[in-house]
mmCIF file of all heavy atoms in Angstrom:
data_model
loop_
_atom_site.group_PDB
_atom_site.id
_atom_site.type_symbol
_atom_site.label_atom_id
_atom_site.label_comp_id
_atom_site.label_asym_id
_atom_site.label_seq_id
_atom_site.Cartn_x
_atom_site.Cartn_y
_atom_site.Cartn_z
ATOM 1 N N PHE I 147 -3.056 12.152 64.700
ATOM 2 C CA PHE I 147 -2.474 13.264 64.069
ATOM 3 C C PHE I 147 -1.534 13.981 65.006
ATOM 4 O O PHE I 147 -0.491 14.566 64.691
ATOM 5 C CB PHE I 147 -3.666 14.221 63.604
ATOM 6 C CG PHE I 147 -3.172 15.304 62.734
ATOM 7 C CD1 PHE I 147 -2.866 15.055 61.445
ATOM 8 C CD2 PHE I 147 -3.003 16.521 63.371
ATOM 9 C CE1 PHE I 147 -2.485 16.118 60.543
ATOM 10 C CE2 PHE I 147 -2.572 17.639 62.457
ATOM 11 C CZ PHE I 147 -2.409 17.416 61.208
ATOM 12 N N ASN I 150 2.813 12.668 68.060
ATOM 13 C CA ASN I 150 4.165 13.115 68.445
ATOM 14 C C ASN I 150 4.169 14.249 69.392
ATOM 15 O O ASN I 150 5.018 14.306 70.289
ATOM 16 C CB ASN I 150 5.056 13.514 67.196
ATOM 17 C CG ASN I 150 5.527 12.244 66.496
ATOM 18 O OD1 ASN I 150 5.885 11.272 67.090
ATOM 19 N ND2 ASN I 150 5.416 12.242 65.142
ATOM 20 N N LYS I 151 3.257 15.215 69.211
ATOM 21 C CA LYS I 151 3.145 16.347 70.089
ATOM 22 C C LYS I 151 2.677 15.881 71.413
ATOM 23 O O LYS I 151 3.168 16.518 72.450
ATOM 24 C CB LYS I 151 2.262 17.447 69.588
ATOM 25 C CG LYS I 151 2.863 18.506 68.779
ATOM 26 C CD LYS I 151 2.900 18.104 67.262
ATOM 27 C CE LYS I 151 3.353 19.256 66.461
ATOM 28 N NZ LYS I 151 3.124 18.938 64.973
ATOM 29 N N PHE I 153 3.213 13.136 72.913
ATOM 30 C CA PHE I 153 4.416 12.536 73.506
ATOM 31 C C PHE I 153 5.261 13.666 74.057
ATOM 32 O O PHE I 153 5.698 13.568 75.284
ATOM 33 C CB PHE I 153 5.160 11.665 72.479
ATOM 34 C CG PHE I 153 6.598 11.451 73.003
ATOM 35 C CD1 PHE I 153 6.822 10.335 73.929
ATOM 36 C CD2 PHE I 153 7.738 12.041 72.596
ATOM 37 C CE1 PHE I 153 8.049 10.086 74.530
ATOM 38 C CE2 PHE I 153 9.059 11.844 73.225
ATOM 39 C CZ PHE I 153 9.179 10.816 74.060
ATOM 40 N N ALA I 154 5.652 14.683 73.155
ATOM 41 C CA ALA I 154 6.470 15.692 73.776
ATOM 42 C C ALA I 154 5.926 16.474 74.848
ATOM 43 O O ALA I 154 6.640 16.758 75.885
ATOM 44 C CB ALA I 154 6.799 16.759 72.587
ATOM 45 N N ASP I 158 7.978 16.326 78.418
ATOM 46 C CA ASP I 158 8.730 17.384 79.043
ATOM 47 C C ASP I 158 8.049 18.702 78.543
ATOM 48 O O ASP I 158 8.311 19.259 77.563
ATOM 49 C CB ASP I 158 10.156 17.410 78.497
ATOM 50 C CG ASP I 158 10.986 18.369 79.172
ATOM 51 O OD1 ASP I 158 10.493 19.320 79.780
ATOM 52 O OD2 ASP I 158 12.295 18.263 79.095
ATOM 53 N N PHE I 161 10.523 21.937 78.048
ATOM 54 C CA PHE I 161 11.264 21.940 76.861
ATOM 55 C C PHE I 161 10.382 22.234 75.603
ATOM 56 O O PHE I 161 10.745 23.026 74.757
ATOM 57 C CB PHE I 161 12.011 20.638 76.657
ATOM 58 C CG PHE I 161 12.718 20.455 75.365
ATOM 59 C CD1 PHE I 161 14.068 20.960 75.328
ATOM 60 C CD2 PHE I 161 12.230 19.900 74.238
ATOM 61 C CE1 PHE I 161 14.649 20.928 74.008
ATOM 62 C CE2 PHE I 161 12.832 19.868 73.054
ATOM 63 C CZ PHE I 161 14.146 20.350 72.970
ATOM 64 N N LYS I 163 7.588 23.834 75.497
ATOM 65 C CA LYS I 163 7.157 25.154 75.480
ATOM 66 C C LYS I 163 8.281 26.102 74.992
ATOM 67 O O LYS I 163 8.096 26.935 74.204
ATOM 68 C CB LYS I 163 6.793 25.582 76.867
ATOM 69 C CG LYS I 163 5.574 26.580 76.988
ATOM 70 C CD LYS I 163 5.353 26.928 78.439
ATOM 71 C CE LYS I 163 3.843 27.067 78.778
ATOM 72 N NZ LYS I 163 3.739 27.161 80.112
ATOM 73 N N THR I 165 10.731 25.414 73.045
ATOM 74 C CA THR I 165 11.074 25.304 71.727
ATOM 75 C C THR I 165 9.861 25.655 70.664
ATOM 76 O O THR I 165 9.965 25.378 69.616
ATOM 77 C CB THR I 165 11.623 23.875 71.366
ATOM 78 O OG1 THR I 165 10.638 22.977 71.890
ATOM 79 C CG2 THR I 165 12.922 23.590 72.004
ATOM 80 N N GLY I 166 8.725 26.189 71.332
ATOM 81 C CA GLY I 166 7.684 26.613 70.469
ATOM 82 C C GLY I 166 6.532 25.672 70.277
ATOM 83 O O GLY I 166 5.738 26.018 69.388
ATOM 84 N N LYS I 212 8.882 -0.399 77.251
ATOM 85 C CA LYS I 212 9.709 0.563 77.616
ATOM 86 C C LYS I 212 9.721 1.846 76.701
ATOM 87 O O LYS I 212 10.308 2.846 76.906
ATOM 88 C CB LYS I 212 11.146 0.228 77.854
ATOM 89 C CG LYS I 212 11.265 -0.740 78.990
ATOM 90 C CD LYS I 212 12.686 -1.033 79.511
ATOM 91 C CE LYS I 212 12.727 -2.211 80.505
ATOM 92 N NZ LYS I 212 12.147 -1.868 81.820
ATOM 93 N N SER I 213 9.119 1.715 75.429
ATOM 94 C CA SER I 213 8.996 2.897 74.619
ATOM 95 C C SER I 213 7.547 3.280 74.749
ATOM 96 O O SER I 213 6.634 2.598 74.906
ATOM 97 C CB SER I 213 9.535 2.452 73.192
ATOM 98 O OG SER I 213 8.367 1.905 72.482
ATOM 99 N N PHE I 214 7.433 4.656 74.389
ATOM 100 C CA PHE I 214 6.183 5.303 74.511
ATOM 101 C C PHE I 214 5.231 4.696 73.392
ATOM 102 O O PHE I 214 4.171 4.306 73.664
ATOM 103 C CB PHE I 214 6.290 6.689 74.147
ATOM 104 C CG PHE I 214 5.117 7.549 74.487
ATOM 105 C CD1 PHE I 214 4.763 7.920 75.820
ATOM 106 C CD2 PHE I 214 4.290 8.136 73.386
ATOM 107 C CE1 PHE I 214 3.580 8.663 76.005
ATOM 108 C CE2 PHE I 214 3.134 8.830 73.672
ATOM 109 C CZ PHE I 214 2.900 9.182 75.040
ATOM 110 N N ARG I 215 5.779 4.302 72.099
ATOM 111 C CA ARG I 215 5.010 3.784 71.132
ATOM 112 C C ARG I 215 4.513 2.379 71.522
ATOM 113 O O ARG I 215 3.309 2.040 71.387
ATOM 114 C CB ARG I 215 5.729 3.737 69.785
ATOM 115 C CG ARG I 215 4.965 3.229 68.793
ATOM 116 C CD ARG I 215 5.144 3.668 67.413
ATOM 117 N NE ARG I 215 6.606 3.715 67.039
ATOM 118 C CZ ARG I 215 6.909 3.722 65.750
ATOM 119 N NH1 ARG I 215 6.072 3.544 64.815
ATOM 120 N NH2 ARG I 215 8.131 3.793 65.507
ATOM 121 N N LEU Q 54 9.543 31.535 78.447
ATOM 122 C CA LEU Q 54 8.606 30.865 79.370
ATOM 123 C C LEU Q 54 8.098 31.766 80.389
ATOM 124 O O LEU Q 54 7.184 31.418 81.098
ATOM 125 C CB LEU Q 54 9.441 29.635 80.034
ATOM 126 C CG LEU Q 54 9.865 28.526 79.270
ATOM 127 C CD1 LEU Q 54 10.624 27.466 79.990
ATOM 128 C CD2 LEU Q 54 8.694 27.860 78.377
ATOM 129 N N TYR Q 75 17.529 23.781 74.334
ATOM 130 C CA TYR Q 75 17.462 23.990 75.744
ATOM 131 C C TYR Q 75 17.732 22.611 76.428
ATOM 132 O O TYR Q 75 17.111 21.598 76.151
ATOM 133 C CB TYR Q 75 16.035 24.448 76.010
ATOM 134 C CG TYR Q 75 15.675 24.602 77.449
ATOM 135 C CD1 TYR Q 75 16.429 25.127 78.519
ATOM 136 C CD2 TYR Q 75 14.400 24.159 77.895
ATOM 137 C CE1 TYR Q 75 16.145 25.290 79.745
ATOM 138 C CE2 TYR Q 75 13.937 24.302 79.166
ATOM 139 C CZ TYR Q 75 14.701 24.835 80.111
ATOM 140 O OH TYR Q 75 14.443 24.867 81.403
ATOM 141 N N PRO Q 87 8.170 5.786 80.140
ATOM 142 C CA PRO Q 87 8.476 4.879 79.066
ATOM 143 C C PRO Q 87 8.794 5.675 77.746
ATOM 144 O O PRO Q 87 7.900 6.125 77.072
ATOM 145 C CB PRO Q 87 7.200 4.039 78.868
ATOM 146 C CG PRO Q 87 6.107 4.936 79.362
ATOM 147 C CD PRO Q 87 6.771 5.819 80.384
ATOM 148 N N ALA Q 88 10.021 5.706 77.337
ATOM 149 C CA ALA Q 88 10.337 6.388 76.130
ATOM 150 C C ALA Q 88 11.691 5.941 75.775
ATOM 151 O O ALA Q 88 12.636 5.823 76.669
ATOM 152 C CB ALA Q 88 10.352 7.959 76.353
ATOM 153 N N THR Q 89 11.979 5.649 74.303
ATOM 154 C CA THR Q 89 13.228 5.238 73.925
ATOM 155 C C THR Q 89 14.031 6.441 73.685
ATOM 156 O O THR Q 89 13.497 7.654 73.531
ATOM 157 C CB THR Q 89 13.140 4.406 72.689
ATOM 158 O OG1 THR Q 89 12.607 5.263 71.733
ATOM 159 C CG2 THR Q 89 12.414 3.164 72.894
ATOM 160 N N GLU Q 92 12.997 8.315 70.510
ATOM 161 C CA GLU Q 92 11.779 8.979 70.635
ATOM 162 C C GLU Q 92 11.932 10.384 71.313
ATOM 163 O O GLU Q 92 11.452 11.413 70.979
ATOM 164 C CB GLU Q 92 10.758 8.183 71.565
ATOM 165 C CG GLU Q 92 10.083 7.107 70.866
ATOM 166 C CD GLU Q 92 9.115 6.318 71.654
ATOM 167 O OE1 GLU Q 92 9.446 5.902 72.794
ATOM 168 O OE2 GLU Q 92 8.051 5.923 71.226
ATOM 169 N N LEU Q 99 9.881 19.158 67.143
ATOM 170 C CA LEU Q 99 8.536 19.433 67.197
ATOM 171 C C LEU Q 99 8.211 20.839 67.147
ATOM 172 O O LEU Q 99 7.212 21.312 66.564
ATOM 173 C CB LEU Q 99 7.788 18.614 68.297
ATOM 174 C CG LEU Q 99 7.663 17.170 68.097
ATOM 175 C CD1 LEU Q 99 7.122 16.443 69.259
ATOM 176 C CD2 LEU Q 99 6.703 16.896 66.989
ATOM 177 N N GLY Q 100 8.889 21.624 67.742
ATOM 178 C CA GLY Q 100 8.693 23.012 68.013
ATOM 179 C C GLY Q 100 8.598 23.741 66.744
ATOM 180 O O GLY Q 100 7.744 24.614 66.516
ATOM 181 N N GLY Q 103 5.179 23.059 63.500
ATOM 182 C CA GLY Q 103 3.852 23.564 63.529
ATOM 183 C C GLY Q 103 2.870 22.526 63.553
ATOM 184 O O GLY Q 103 2.941 21.646 64.557
ATOM 185 N N LEU Q 105 2.342 20.163 61.303
ATOM 186 C CA LEU Q 105 2.656 18.794 60.612
ATOM 187 C C LEU Q 105 2.826 17.804 61.655
ATOM 188 O O LEU Q 105 3.593 17.875 62.577
ATOM 189 C CB LEU Q 105 4.106 19.114 59.960
ATOM 190 C CG LEU Q 105 3.984 20.185 58.781
ATOM 191 C CD1 LEU Q 105 5.435 20.274 58.200
ATOM 192 C CD2 LEU Q 105 3.157 19.694 57.680
ATOM 193 N N PRO Q 106 2.198 16.636 61.415
ATOM 194 C CA PRO Q 106 2.211 15.490 62.329
ATOM 195 C C PRO Q 106 3.320 14.623 62.473
ATOM 196 O O PRO Q 106 3.708 14.170 63.538
ATOM 197 C CB PRO Q 106 0.935 14.815 61.973
ATOM 198 C CG PRO Q 106 0.809 15.052 60.525
ATOM 199 C CD PRO Q 106 1.332 16.329 60.176
ATOM 200 N N TYR Q 108 7.502 13.002 61.545
ATOM 201 C CA TYR Q 108 8.850 13.410 61.357
ATOM 202 C C TYR Q 108 9.300 13.114 59.826
ATOM 203 O O TYR Q 108 8.758 12.002 59.253
ATOM 204 C CB TYR Q 108 9.778 12.569 62.178
ATOM 205 C CG TYR Q 108 9.543 12.876 63.672
ATOM 206 C CD1 TYR Q 108 9.053 11.812 64.487
ATOM 207 C CD2 TYR Q 108 9.696 14.095 64.298
ATOM 208 C CE1 TYR Q 108 8.908 12.148 65.808
ATOM 209 C CE2 TYR Q 108 9.562 14.442 65.482
ATOM 210 C CZ TYR Q 108 9.052 13.486 66.331
ATOM 211 O OH TYR Q 108 8.850 13.654 67.764
ATOM 212 N N ARG Q 148 18.729 16.087 71.843
ATOM 213 C CA ARG Q 148 17.395 16.551 71.575
ATOM 214 C C ARG Q 148 17.497 18.138 71.375
ATOM 215 O O ARG Q 148 16.850 18.644 70.468
ATOM 216 C CB ARG Q 148 16.418 16.207 72.771
ATOM 217 C CG ARG Q 148 15.101 16.959 72.570
ATOM 218 C CD ARG Q 148 14.165 16.567 73.799
ATOM 219 N NE ARG Q 148 14.614 17.372 75.003
ATOM 220 C CZ ARG Q 148 13.852 17.359 76.002
ATOM 221 N NH1 ARG Q 148 12.734 16.811 76.230
ATOM 222 N NH2 ARG Q 148 14.241 18.084 77.063
#
Side-chain angles (χ1 to χ4, degrees):
Chain I
F147 191 77
N150 283 320
K151 266 94 170 191
F153 167 77
D158 193 341
F161 176 84
K163 218 183 218 173
T165 52
K212 295 189 185 298
S213 83
F214 192 78
R215 181 153 40 161
Chain Q
L54 299 176
Y75 171 46
T89 60
E92 284 178 319
L99 288 171
L105 295 175
Y108 301 115
R148 176 183 68 170

